Amino acid sequence: MTALLSVQDLTYTIRKRQGWLGSEERFTLSPVSFEINAGETLAIIGDNGSGKSLLARLLVGAERPSGGHIFLNGQKLDPFNIKQRCLNIRMIFQHSNESLNPGLSVGRILEEPLKLNTQLDARARQEKVVNTLKLVGLLPDHQFFYRHMLSDGQRQRVGLARALVLDPQVIVADEPFAALDPSVRSQTVNLIMALQRELGLGFVFISHNLGIVRHISDRLLVMQKGLVVESGKTETVFNWPKSEYTEKLVMAHQSLINR
Amino acid sequence: MPRFSLYQEEYHPSPLQHTWLAFRQSHVAVIGLWILGFFATLVVFAPLIAPFDPVQQHTDTLLIPPAWEPNGSIEHLFGTDSVGRDVLSRLVYGCRMTLGISLILVLLAMLVGVAIGALAGMTRGVRSSVLNHLLDSLLAIPTLLIAIIIVAILGVGLVNSMWAISLALIPQFVHNTRDFVRNEMKKDYVTAARLDGANKVHLFFITILPNMVEMLVVQGTMALSIAILDISALGFLGLGAQAPSPELGTMLSEGLKIAYMSPSSIALPGSAIFVMVLSVNLVGDGLRSALRNRMRQ
């Protein structure tokens, strides 16, 4: 059976020159390869600047990779064809506040991707929007709301709804829980897990919170300075970390729990 | 089965209604809106409101003082000028000319400026810079000077002064639009729209334009008051609208000759310009704070 999403030797190089004669600063994402099956969750952890967000942006197509391929259900994704990709791979942004358009109502925000990517008529789109809102635990009335009227948790749900509205197969989330308080965070985590079970989604998520990572992910990818330090089943990595860096991360996490 | 609803009121105000609710909070702005509405009525219905033709000369009634003076007549409410034209009719048509032309100029400048600015904001590199700085030299020269240059080349006239003023108004729209679009393009919601498969046209009109309204209103009202002042200033200097045509600035300069005999002939057009600019600024200010406040409640 082919994997739902399979990434092979994805690389990315960025050069930034400071001033005219300044030294050239380079950041390279070393070849990354992984696979996810339907219903599986892959977590990516690592410190700031390790290329986690970049990897997420490469997956959804916001950046073009320098090399390597992404396969969805065995079919190669064209880096220039956003339409093909956005029907199947959707992103949830870190700051739900900035990722929602302040000038459009929630209904319009959810309707735009449908307008652009499907042949549904106005009534079918409306129905889809209402159903998606219900799916993420909001009320149909919320489609008339604007960004500034929603709480942080509700905004995150709208972000999730926008990802789900096109019935994707993979969702990529860049630290979706970072800005939420603990109670709303656990609500959202449970919501996402329930949806994943229900819809059979593949889920790639980036987080700093090892507790949540251990709770929801099946596989783990540890990154440091653009390199994949370690990857494998979450429980294996947590119990028998191979690299020093992972060991430190796990130790820090354990010391917090057992205090 | 009744639909479950958490909220008691089944009323979802649109952004426009939100703005109106916030606008109403400021009484000064509402008064300004009434005054501006009055002027707008004059602009639209001038031929119905004015009692006489503004250029018709009543040779038997020269320089009649306004009706409230002892020897005034009710037939000419604001009196007549030195060649017997009804001042009230001239004022009504003058408001029509000054405000109407200013509105057209601002709309034209906004359309051109926003189009160039949007192109400059969405493109990168040299093309963007060229578009952005295309009209910059005009910023350095005052409007009146540009008008004098254009008038010196093309000759005196209202149309030529209109060209001058609209040219002078365009650069600020270009710059503000470009800066705004540049800033918004960096934000996550634009990335999200791009990932939805939106092309650049869609990105500008659907995603960015709704958020640009506040900036456009602020710039638009500022440009409107500048346009009103410039049109009347050029008329006053004799470079814009020419003598018989009822334009507030031109009327002012005509009234200056007979200011000692009938002070009202300069007081009336002068205060009309003043009240017009004041009301535009009041409404603009009220709208700006209303648009800002609707986003945070």
Side-chain angles (χ1 to χ4, degrees):
Chain A
M1 183 188 132
T2 53
L4 174 63
L5 181 75
S6 136
V7 172
Q8 284 177 5
D9 297 329
L10 202 65
T11 60
Y12 184 82
T13 311
I14 187 169
R15 285 193 186 83
K16 209 182 266 174
R17 187 172 286 207
Q18 289 173 336
W20 275 16
L21 301 168
S23 60
E24 206 177 53
E25 201 178 297
R26 285 181 68 168
F27 179 84
T28 316
L29 186 73
S30 69
V32 178
S33 305
F34 60 84
E35 285 188 348
I36 317 176
N37 296 318
E40 255 188 356
T41 303
L42 172 84
I44 305 173
I45 59 173
D47 49 16
N48 289 336
S50 60
K52 311 186 299 284
S53 294
L54 180 64
L55 182 57
R57 291 172 69 84
L58 286 173
L59 284 178
V60 293
E63 304 281 347
R64 295 199 180 113
S66 313
H69 304 291
I70 302 171
F71 295 92
L72 187 82
N73 292 326
Q75 189 195 356
K76 194 164 127 187
L77 290 179
D78 175 6
F80 292 96
N81 190 346
I82 285 216
K83 294 233 164 187
Q84 171 197 16
R85 196 178 297 217
C86 71
L87 277 171
N88 298 309
I89 305 180
R90 301 282 291 168
M91 181 157 184
I92 302 176
F93 289 86
Q94 177 175 9
H95 302 289
S96 52
N97 192 20
E98 274 180 28
S99 70
L100 301 179
N101 194 333
L104 299 181
S105 65
V106 168
R108 280 287 300 280
I109 290 176
L110 297 183
E111 199 185 355
E112 284 307 318
L114 290 174
K115 247 187 206 168
L116 286 164
N117 293 300
T118 60
Q119 259 80 54
L120 299 177
D121 62 347
R123 181 177 291 181
R125 285 201 299 263
Q126 174 67 14
E127 205 173 301
K128 181 77 192 163
V129 166
V130 168
N131 286 340
T132 314
L133 280 174
K134 283 183 189 159
L135 194 66
V136 297
L138 292 171
L139 295 170
D141 288 25
H142 280 114
Q143 63 180 300
F144 304 109
F145 282 42
Y146 286 81
R147 186 183 83 178
H148 64 273
M149 305 176 190
L150 300 171
S151 69
D152 278 341
Q154 286 172 327
R155 284 176 196 163
Q156 200 65 55
R157 281 166 192 250
V158 174
L160 181 60
R162 180 174 58 194
L164 288 172
V165 79
L166 286 177
D167 297 324
Q169 302 178 38
V170 180
I171 286 187
V172 178
D174 187 358
E175 302 193 43
F177 316 120
L180 302 177
D181 64 71
S183 63
V184 180
R185 188 188 300 160
S186 39
Q187 266 182 28
T188 318
V189 169
N190 289 339
L191 172 70
I192 289 181
M193 285 178 74
L195 287 175
Q196 192 182 12
R197 266 198 306 277
E198 216 171 288
L199 309 172
L201 297 170
F203 188 46
V204 178
F205 91 112
I206 293 167
S207 181
H208 284 298
N209 190 327
L210 295 188
I212 293 181
V213 168
R214 191 164 192 177
H215 181 52
I216 72 174
S217 70
D218 304 304
R219 287 161 194 252
L220 193 59
L221 206 67
V222 185
M223 293 184 69
Q224 190 186 19
K225 290 178 186 160
L227 291 165
V228 177
V229 180
E230 197 164 344
S231 64
K233 293 246 188 252
T234 305
E235 282 312 305
T236 321
V237 175
F238 265 89
N239 290 325
W240 300 281
K242 277 185 228 139
S243 74
E244 197 186 344
Y245 179 67
T246 319
E247 203 170 333
K248 272 185 193 162
L249 275 180
V250 174
M251 291 280 277
H253 173 62
Q254 295 291 358
S255 68
L256 274 178
I257 290 178
N258 300 331
R259 196 166 46 177
Chain B
M1 192 186 94
R3 193 161 63 89
F4 170 71
S5 171
L6 194 63
Y7 302 98
Q8 292 198 328
E9 42 187 22
E10 280 287 307
Y11 168 60
H12 303 288
S14 69
L16 214 62
Q17 285 164 315
H18 273 299
T19 315
W20 173 237
L21 290 176
F23 185 82
R24 265 196 337 202
Q25 306 278 312
S26 158
H27 299 292
V28 181
V30 174
I31 293 171
L33 186 67
W34 275 107
I35 299 174
L36 197 63
F38 169 72
F39 280 118
T41 325
L42 291 191
V43 170
V44 179
F45 298 111
L48 300 179
I49 294 170
F52 294 101
D53 190 320
V55 289
Q56 187 195 349
Q57 301 182 354
H58 307 269
T59 39
D60 47 339
T61 52
L62 297 180
L63 264 182
I64 291 184
W68 52 85
E69 304 256 333
N71 48 354
S73 93
I74 196 66
E75 198 188 346
H76 301 287
L77 189 63
F78 285 167
T80 56
D81 63 4
S82 54
V83 287
R85 294 172 297 200
D86 183 51
V87 173
L88 175 62
S89 313
R90 284 180 70 72
L91 267 182
V92 170
Y93 272 91
C95 290
R96 177 184 219 195
M97 208 160 188
T98 308
L99 187 61
I101 288 175
S102 306
L103 275 172
I104 293 171
L105 288 187
V106 170
L107 285 180
L108 186 79
M110 195 185 274
L111 212 67
V112 176
V114 168
I116 297 178
L119 278 176
M122 309 291 273
T123 51
R124 288 178 180 287
V126 182
R127 213 167 3 150
S128 164
S129 266
V130 168
L131 281 172
N132 190 29
H133 298 297
L134 196 63
L135 296 167
D136 269 15
S137 51
L138 292 179
L139 272 178
I141 316 170
T143 326
L144 282 178
L145 209 57
I146 300 177
I148 290 170
I149 296 167
I150 291 187
V151 164
I153 298 168
L154 298 175
V156 187
L158 184 60
V159 178
N160 293 344
S161 68
M162 283 166 69
W163 280 119
I165 293 167
S166 51
L167 266 180
L169 290 176
I170 289 173
Q172 52 163 344
F173 281 109
V174 175
H175 278 265
N176 282 303
T177 310
R178 183 210 185 227
D179 289 349
F180 188 87
V181 171
R182 268 285 155 88
N183 270 333
E184 298 300 292
M185 289 292 277
K186 287 183 199 133
K187 293 191 179 165
D188 269 349
Y189 74 88
V190 176
T191 312
R194 215 147 47 84
L195 291 181
D196 288 341
N199 58 16
K200 287 200 164 173
V201 178
H202 185 276
L203 218 53
F204 178 72
F205 283 103
I206 307 288
T207 311
I208 296 178
L209 201 59
N211 300 312
M212 225 165 79
V213 178
E214 186 185 336
M215 189 276 276
L216 285 182
V217 164
V218 174
Q219 287 300 321
T221 49
M222 241 159 57
L224 187 59
S225 53
I226 291 174
I228 292 174
L229 285 177
D230 280 355
I231 288 256
S232 31
L234 287 175
F236 183 78
L237 293 176
L239 301 172
Q242 291 306 300
S245 74
E247 197 276 325
L248 292 177
T250 319
M251 285 171 67
L252 206 57
S253 75
E254 277 174 39
L256 214 52
K257 294 167 199 156
I258 50 166
Y260 286 112
M261 280 186 283
S262 68
S264 64
S265 61
I266 54 169
L268 288 170
S271 38
I273 296 172
F274 167 68
V275 175
M276 204 185 276
V277 173
L278 186 69
S279 66
V280 167
N281 284 346
L282 285 180
V283 171
D285 205 46
L287 264 180
R288 175 170 31 179
S289 52
L291 285 168
R292 207 183 300 138
N293 288 342
R294 73 167 184 185
M295 290 299 182
R296 53 174 120 90
Q297 287 171 341

